[in-house]
Amino acid sequence: METVTQKELLERVKMQLASFLEDPQYQDQHSLHMEIIRTFGRVGPNAEPRFRDEFVLPHLHKLALANNSQTVESKRIDIATQLFEAYSALSCCFISEEVMVNHFLPGLRCLRADMEQLSPEHEVILSSMIKECEIKVENRGMADAQGSMSIASSLVGEDAKTKFLSKMGQLTTSGAMLANVFQRKK
């Protein structure tokens, strides 16, 4: 999963993992879920970005959500610990705003809910990670807004420049006409 870029092979891997994660007969397979989460944490940062964004992160989110309702505390802490490791590894990847908002942040919040009860020292770290991700999303939104503003202002600037140059082109060399260019229109 880390080194493969062949679309067909990644699709087969995705289908196999999806069958383990989504088939009802595997829903109570604690050790299988532990291994899949461990694998996602190990390969996620180096995997093909589309595979990570469209498969790994959504499934980590689902696993974190499901873990919130786990009644066996030892299983819940095991999964939460593996999820913490996976999310920590994946937090250094570039994640699109859409995936961040729809899967990464909600998964972190589910994990934080588990850690509040099970491991307060991890909860503090998760709260910090969540805050960082929220700031990234805010900054991207502000950068997009500023980008739109600079495009608009550059268009206005181009319009003014064009008008100015066309006026300059209409001038003759007489001093009287040159002086009138900078007069305000009434």
Side-chain angles (χ1 to χ4, degrees), residues 9-163:
L9 193 54
L10 275 176
E11 281 301 314
R12 280 194 262 160
V13 168
K14 195 187 306 186
M15 286 175 41
Q16 184 66 53
L17 287 170
S19 73
F20 288 137
L21 290 166
E22 296 166 6
D23 191 322
Q25 73 177 351
Y26 297 115
Q27 291 307 308
D28 294 328
Q29 297 295 318
H30 178 71
S31 59
L32 175 66
H33 289 161
M34 291 279 293
E35 194 55 44
I36 288 174
I37 295 167
R38 190 176 296 122
T39 301
F40 283 169
R42 190 177 63 246
V43 303
N46 301 316
E48 197 264 327
R50 190 168 169 201
F51 176 72
R52 179 182 60 239
D53 292 350
E54 294 177 4
F55 187 78
V56 172
L57 291 171
H59 279 88
L60 281 177
H61 176 201
K62 287 178 189 174
L63 288 163
L65 186 60
N67 200 49
N68 285 160
S69 58
Q70 173 60 261
T71 55
V72 180
E73 191 171 315
S74 63
K75 288 182 178 181
R76 189 172 177 199
I77 191 69
D78 286 348
I79 294 290
T81 302
Q82 286 305 310
L83 285 167
F84 179 81
E85 295 298 323
Y87 275 106
S88 296
L90 289 161
S91 68
C92 59
C93 298
F94 175 80
I95 299 170
S96 72
E97 185 174 352
E98 179 185 350
V99 174
M100 181 72 76
V101 169
N102 293 330
H103 297 295
F104 197 81
L105 275 168
L108 279 177
R109 290 182 183 119
C110 290
L111 182 55
R112 180 177 61 186
D114 284 339
M115 291 302 193
E116 282 174 341
Q117 297 173 358
L118 304 169
S119 179
E121 64 276 3
H122 284 94
E123 189 271 331
V124 171
I125 296 167
L126 284 166
S127 291
S128 175
M129 286 172 69
I130 290 169
K131 191 71 175 161
E132 279 182 40
C133 291
E134 289 170 342
I135 289 170
K136 283 181 188 176
V137 169
E138 276 180 34
N139 288 343
R140 284 184 195 160
M142 286 173 37
D144 289 347
Q146 287 176 343
S148 298
M149 292 296 286
S150 68
I151 290 170
S153 65
S154 71
L155 290 174
V156 169
E158 285 296 316
D159 189 41
K161 179 180 167 185
T162 304
K163 283 182 182 177

